[in-house]
Structures are given as structure tokens and as C-alpha cells.
Amino acid sequence: MEHMNLVLIHGAWSTSNTFNCLINAIESTENLTIIKINYDCQKHSLSEIISRIKKELTSFKQPTIVVGHSLGGIIALSLEQEPSIKRIITLASPISGLQYPKIAEAFLSFRAPIIKDITYDSKFMMNLRKKKFKKPI
């Protein structure tokens, strides 16, 4: 089996510790490098987070599988065009976008501005829903 990377992207208001059980179960797998991606959804915009992860992926030479939980799955889907990525797995990701009453959306957006980027009617989510994925999702 050829060497592979497994990139793990957590959800909003979380950390890569979300994946500790998975990591414990597979960390001894030969030819597998596990890469945990961390970000702070309260400090960075969605585009900043995606840009940073894309920069990290450019150094990968081995085939890469990306696993994203919740918001991490939305981020993972936006990385599909990266050459090293061979497969994307989303776990409990709101891939249609979040739908909140406007008052809840305003409160959550105040807490984390990234929320406005992943609501159902945001430009980012509309474009994501229209996208034709070429790799296994």
C-alpha cells in the first residue's frame, strides 16, 4: 500500500481533539500520516481558513484523504480541487447550509462571523451546492 495522508478538520467551536478516538484506533496504521488541522472560527473568516489549509496541502506529495466534521466538512468540500486530495469524507456537515431564524443568525454571527458564510442563502453555500464534484465524496 502506498503512503497516504489523512487530514482531519474539526467543526466550529471545537478542536482536533474531536478526532481522538479515531486517531487512537488508526494511528498505528502503516503508511499513514495523520494531520490535524486546527482553526479558530471566532478569529478567522472562512476564506482565511480555507486559504491557510490550501497552502498546507500544496506541500503534500502523497495522496490525501480529508475528513471534516460539521464545519470542517464544508471546508473539506471547498478543497476538492487540490491535486493531492483523492477523497473527502464529511461527518454531520450541514452541506446545504445552516437555516436559522434571523435573530439567532444575528446572535451567532456576532459570536463567530464565519456563520454568515455558511447560512443557506450565503454566496459561498449557494456556490457549493451548485458544484459538480469530480472526486469521491
Side-chain angles (χ1 to χ4, degrees), residues 104-119:
E105 184 179 321
F107 172 75
L108 290 170
S109 293
F110 176 75
R111 184 171 175 220
I114 199 170
I115 295 297
K116 70 182 178 317
D117 292 329
I118 58 169
T119 59

Side-chain angles (χ1 to χ4, degrees), residues 88-122:
I88 296 171
I89 300 169
T90 63
L91 305 170
S93 298
I95 57 176
S96 292
L98 299 174
Q99 293 183 325
Y100 292 116
K102 290 297 179 191
I103 188 75
E105 184 179 321
F107 172 75
L108 290 170
S109 293
F110 176 75
R111 184 171 175 220
I114 199 170
I115 295 297
K116 70 182 178 317
D117 292 329
I118 58 169
T119 59
Y120 179 81
D121 55 354
S122 72

Side-chain angles (χ1 to χ4, degrees), residues 21-136:
C21 287
L22 173 64
I23 292 168
N24 291 338
I26 64 172
E27 66 186 343
S28 63
T29 303
E30 288 184 32
N31 299 321
L32 181 67
T33 301
I34 300 170
I35 299 126
K36 300 183 288 187
I37 302 289
N38 278 299
Y39 62 89
D40 187 337
C41 69
Q42 292 178 277
K43 293 183 180 176
H44 303 285
S45 71
L46 187 58
S47 62
E48 290 171 329
I49 294 166
I50 292 168
S51 292
R52 183 178 62 83
I53 296 171
K54 281 183 178 182
K55 283 181 189 173
E56 289 182 46
L57 290 174
T58 59
S59 67
F60 294 178
K61 304 296 182 235
Q62 296 86 13
T64 301
I65 297 171
V66 180
V67 177
H69 171 252
S70 192
L71 175 59
I74 292 171
I75 293 168
L77 290 173
S78 70
L79 303 170
E80 192 243 357
Q81 297 297 323
E82 297 305 306
S84 64
I85 294 178
K86 302 303 177 201
R87 178 178 300 267
I88 296 171
I89 300 169
T90 63
L91 305 170
S93 298
I95 57 176
S96 292
L98 299 174
Q99 293 183 325
Y100 292 116
K102 290 297 179 191
I103 188 75
E105 184 179 321
F107 172 75
L108 290 170
S109 293
F110 176 75
R111 184 171 175 220
I114 199 170
I115 295 297
K116 70 182 178 317
D117 292 329
I118 58 169
T119 59
Y120 179 81
D121 55 354
S122 72
K123 184 177 179 181
F124 179 85
M125 292 307 296
M126 285 191 275
N127 288 336
L128 190 64
R129 285 192 301 273
K130 290 177 189 175
K131 188 173 181 176
K132 303 288 186 218
F133 295 99
K134 297 180 177 120
K135 297 175 184 174

